[in-house]
Amino acid sequence: MAESDIPHTPPLLLPDAIHRAVNPGTALLRLETTRSREGLLDGAWWPRTRDIETELPALIGVLTGHLGPITRVGVDASAWNALPPRLIIDDQVVHLDSDPVGDDTVLITRGHNDHFALLVVPPDTTADAAREAMARAVRADNITEAAQILIATTPGPEDAGAGDPAART
């Protein structure tokens, strides 16, 4: 069967109620803690700002509830206003590593070598684009890299002005 003969299936979106409820600061997670984790990303996060000291504690708090203690977070320092070497979150030291992962991914580490990759949706992303990007990232069969998801879901210049910035809040 030729590639052109394969029917195109649109990406599965989140249920409508969840889709409408996703706001800045939200983390959507698909956490598979087995060796058979599939897909490139384990979840998505839409921080409100580029201030890591403000944004990261809430994310780590949610993740700790599902994964246990988080020991390290890898981020691209150029994506954030400042990057301290570590933060104390809920009485736990979390080391911050400046990795060349790009500002579209954050790497969460628990234990010595168990990593979770989350898409980071830029804070200034429109609500519709953020929701679509996050829905794509959490699909179990996702094989698209984070940067490509963001490119595919970002409105082009022809769409400028089509969104309602007030809808982000």
Side-chain angles (χ1 to χ4, degrees):
M1 178 180 270
E3 188 174 325
S4 61
D5 297 334
I6 300 172
H8 174 38
T9 306
L12 297 175
L13 296 178
L14 298 170
D16 285 342
I18 294 171
H19 187 82
R20 287 189 301 272
V22 175
N23 290 313
T26 300
L28 290 182
L29 307 171
R30 186 195 81 247
L31 298 173
E32 297 178 50
T33 58
T34 65
R35 290 179 178 237
S36 65
R37 289 183 359 213
E38 296 178 17
L40 291 180
L41 298 165
D42 299 298
W45 177 40
W46 187 15
R48 293 180 182 273
T49 70
R50 297 253 182 219
D51 181 352
I52 196 111
E53 293 182 62
T54 299
E55 300 297 330
L56 196 58
L59 177 65
I60 296 302
V62 168
L63 290 174
T64 298
H66 292 284
L67 301 174
I70 305 298
T71 57
R72 301 192 94 72
V73 175
V75 298
D76 182 349
S78 67
W80 300 94
N81 294 342
L83 188 64
R86 67 188 157 280
L87 292 173
I88 306 237
I89 301 172
D90 296 331
D91 296 324
Q92 295 288 321
V93 175
V94 177
H95 297 275
L96 302 179
D97 299 320
S98 178
D99 293 327
V101 294
D103 87 351
D104 44 59
T105 308
V106 62
L107 298 176
I108 305 294
T109 304
R110 71 171 182 179
H112 293 292
N113 203 20
D114 196 5
H115 305 287
F116 294 85
L118 305 180
L119 167 77
V120 178
V121 177
D124 59 350
T125 302
T126 66
D128 288 341
R131 290 176 183 130
E132 184 178 347
M134 294 175 87
R136 288 183 185 200
V138 298
R139 286 186 53 165
D141 62 348
N142 173 49
I143 57 169
T144 306
E145 293 182 4
Q148 294 305 313
I149 289 173
L150 292 176
I151 289 169
T153 57
T154 300
E158 66 278 1
D159 299 323
D164 178 6
R168 272 197 97 241
T169 59

